[in-house]
Structures are given as C-alpha cells and as structure tokens.
Amino acid sequence: MKIIYKRSDIKDKVKALKANGLTIGFVPTMGALHQGHLSLIKKAKLQNDIVICSIFVNPIQFNNQQDLEKYPRDYESDLKKLENLDCDLVFMPDVEEMYPEPPTQKYDFGFLDKVMEGKFRPGHFNGVATVVHKFFDIIEPDKAYFGEKDFQQLTIIKRLVKDYNIPVEIVPCPIVRESDGLAMSSRNLRLTKEQRIQAPYIYQTLLKAKENYKKFSVIELKNWIKEEINKNSFMKLEYVEIVDMQTLHSVNNYNDIKNLIICIVVFLGEIRLIDNIKLFY
Ligand code: AMP
C-alpha cells in the first residue's frame, strides 16, 4: 500500500494506472476509520482494479470549531486497517496541499442543501462539495463510494456530479451498525461510557417508528419520535424529518411518495449523532 501526500503525485500515479487500463475506485474519508468506512473499501475492492482511500479532515465542512479540533484522528491505526484490506493507495494531503489558497467556490443545490443538515450546519455542504469536487478532479475515479448514513450528503454528491458532468459513478453503501444498533461513526469515540450505553436508543426509536408508522399521521409520527427521544435524559433532538428520498421534500402523508426516509439528528451532550431509516410501504 502506497501513501501519497501530494496532489501532483497522486495525479501522476492515477495517470499511469489508467494508461494500463486499470479502473479506479475512490473512497473519501476523514479517518478514524471503523467498519462503516471499511465496508466502502471492501465494496470498492470488489468492483475496481485499484482502490484509493483519502484521509483528510476537511476544515471547511465544519461549522463548529470545537467539533473540528476534537474530531478523532488516528492515522497509524487507519493505515493498518487499510493495509489489512489490501487498499492500494492512500491519499493523505494536508490542508495547505488541498487549499493553497482559501477556497472561494460557492455551490447551490437548490432545495437539497437548504434543509436538515444544510439548515442546521450552515456552509457544511459547500465545504463537502468543494472537497469532493477537488478530489474528483485530482483522482478522476471511475466509481466513488458514499455511505447512506449521511443520506443527504449522498444525495448532494449525486447532484454535484450531474450538475458538473463529472464522469464518475456514485455507489451508495448501506449503513453499518454496531451489534446494538448504533450507527457506526467516528464521533462515537467521543461518547462517555454512559452516553455510549444510551446511544442505541436512537436507532431503537427509528425501528419502532418504522414498525408502527401506519398507526400515525406523518405529523404524529414526527412528534412521537421527538417525544421519545427527548424522554431520554441523555438526549436532545435537533431535528427529525420524514422526506422523499429523491427530492428531500417533507411529506404530509404517506401516499404522497413511494420512497420515504426518516432522517434524525440527536445530541448526546456535545456529540452530534446522525441516523436514518428508510420507510417503504
Ligand atoms: P466520514 O469519514 O465521516 O466523512 O465518512 C466517510 C464515508 O464513510 C462517508 O461516505 C460516510 O457516509 C461513510 N460512513 C460513515 N459511517 C458509516 C456507516 N456507519 N456505515 C456506512 N457508511 C458510513
């Protein structure tokens, strides 16, 4: 496994690989790798000749300075995990390398980046789109892998490649959970022991909502989830939305749309956890 730090080096490397007819799968991450990330690498390994993983904690997608400073970093352990999976290349640029000049790009994804994460984390998706667009430009992968845990991000990246005619196939990957149901996240490392014990309650509530949704109207279901979460003294709901999986528009009743998803964000202390569940009917 080769570790590359410079844009020009990875560009040259990819050029040589492509000249030999090899296909490139790309998995962008911010490190502190867990089985969720590794599931993306495994899928990429199955579908491509060469897999490139990037590890870059992208400062411009953090709307909260403390969150950026406290974001877990463990490059040594990340590299071991990638090596074990036979990842071919790791791209680990520093901030200077990615942003030699302060980035100025402004993206507008219409409704998609105005709701949920877009509303509660101003500038977040502009930062995500900027870095992913740059990565696609540098690496020119055939396929790129994104987790459904960040469902809105996945939707926006699909839109980014359409809007800018980027010739990459976006491959969605299902959420990987701990055995108790908690969606794996690098931020889970920051939970206290007690918070960690409580955290699976988020997914348990989503599962109950999915099981019982026919008994409630959409508004009632959202209110029920809100009350359930806020009943737990360790938790504070930031938002819950029931939206069309394509447009991210909120729905008023279940007959509106075929594919719905419940998206939720919950704070445990200062740790912000995101999750979702698809509601098929
Ligand atoms: P991050 O390092 O948090 O930026 O995540 C890198 C990629 O891994 C993103 O596409 C995430 O959606 C994906 N990812 C993170 N956690 C999970 C998970 N539990 N299951 C599946 N994919 C995940």
Side-chain angles (χ1 to χ4, degrees):
M1 188 174 78
K2 201 166 162 46
I3 302 162
I4 295 180
Y5 301 94
K6 298 285 169 207
R7 281 179 296 164
S8 53
D9 291 345
I10 191 112
K11 248 180 172 319
D12 290 348
K13 185 79 193 158
V14 168
K15 208 171 162 189
L17 292 164
K18 285 195 162 186
N20 284 326
L22 299 175
T23 59
I24 311 282
F26 173 50
V27 181
T29 80
M30 297 205 296
L33 301 181
H34 50 65
Q35 288 300 326
H37 298 112
L38 301 185
S39 73
L40 274 55
I41 304 279
K42 286 178 199 162
K43 194 160 185 174
K45 280 297 286 183
L46 290 173
Q47 299 182 342
N48 303 273
D49 298 320
I50 298 290
V51 172
I52 303 178
C53 174
S54 63
I55 300 179
F56 178 62
V57 181
N58 178 31
I60 65 166
Q61 74 183 68
F62 286 80
N63 56 316
N64 176 328
Q65 191 60 23
Q66 251 206 359
D67 192 26
L68 170 62
E69 280 160 18
K70 294 193 172 164
Y71 199 83
R73 292 162 173 88
D74 189 350
Y75 298 130
E76 203 177 311
S77 138
D78 288 347
L79 292 174
K80 266 191 209 141
K81 289 171 187 165
L82 292 173
E83 180 102 60
N84 285 341
L85 288 184
D86 219 6
C87 180
D88 300 282
L89 292 168
V90 186
F91 182 41
M92 291 177 72
D94 63 16
V95 174
E96 254 297 282
E97 185 65 19
M98 283 307 279
Y99 304 119
E101 303 289 335
T104 53
Q105 296 95 321
K106 291 281 169 277
Y107 294 86
D108 185 348
F109 299 104
F111 189 74
L112 298 182
D113 64 343
K114 307 297 182 295
V115 289
M116 300 193 288
E117 295 299 276
K119 185 167 146 194
F120 285 93
R121 302 184 68 188
H124 169 66
F125 284 126
N126 205 69
V128 170
T130 302
V131 78
V132 171
H133 200 165
K134 261 178 178 280
F135 279 138
F136 285 168
D137 199 47
I138 297 165
I139 294 173
E140 298 186 48
D142 297 283
K143 292 185 166 71
Y145 296 78
F146 291 85
E148 289 184 334
K149 182 171 86 80
D150 303 288
F151 188 81
Q152 188 174 9
Q153 169 175 284
L154 169 65
T155 309
I156 284 173
I157 299 298
K158 283 184 187 161
R159 183 62 192 261
L160 170 78
V161 306
K162 266 196 195 152
D163 283 357
Y164 291 86
N165 302 309
I166 306 170
V168 55
E169 181 190 336
I170 303 302
V171 183
C173 302
I175 301 178
V176 177
R177 298 181 180 280
E178 301 286 355
S179 54
D180 57 16
L182 174 64
M184 288 191 182
S185 164
S186 305
R187 289 189 174 86
N188 294 350
L189 292 171
R190 295 184 52 211
L191 295 169
T192 64
K193 209 171 156 197
E194 277 167 330
Q195 288 169 338
R196 177 63 190 82
I197 291 169
Q198 296 297 322
Y201 182 73
I202 302 169
Y203 184 54
Q204 286 160 12
T205 305
L206 290 180
L207 277 179
K208 267 196 216 160
K210 181 174 168 139
E211 275 164 29
N212 295 303
Y213 80 95
K214 282 186 179 152
K215 297 180 196 154
F216 299 99
S217 70
V218 171
I219 297 283
E220 284 169 346
L221 187 65
K222 269 166 57 169
N223 284 336
W224 179 82
I225 295 169
K226 201 172 174 175
E227 281 165 21
E228 284 294 297
I229 293 291
N230 288 334
K231 255 188 219 167
N232 185 312
S233 61
F234 285 80
M235 300 194 178
K236 193 165 181 324
L237 182 98
E238 183 169 69
Y239 68 77
V240 58
E241 294 293 345
I242 302 177
V243 301
D244 173 348
M245 282 171 58
Q246 260 75 47
T247 64
L248 305 185
H249 277 286
S250 295
V251 294
N252 294 321
N253 64 67
Y254 303 114
N255 299 324
D256 281 356
I257 302 288
K258 274 238 156 52
N259 296 327
L260 297 179
I261 184 163
I262 307 179
C263 297
I264 193 167
V265 168
V266 177
F267 274 99
L268 283 89
E270 60 178 24
I271 314 303
R272 187 176 185 276
L273 299 183
I274 189 166
D275 204 346
N276 65 64
I277 196 165
K278 290 176 192 172
L279 266 192
F280 294 108
Y281 73 98

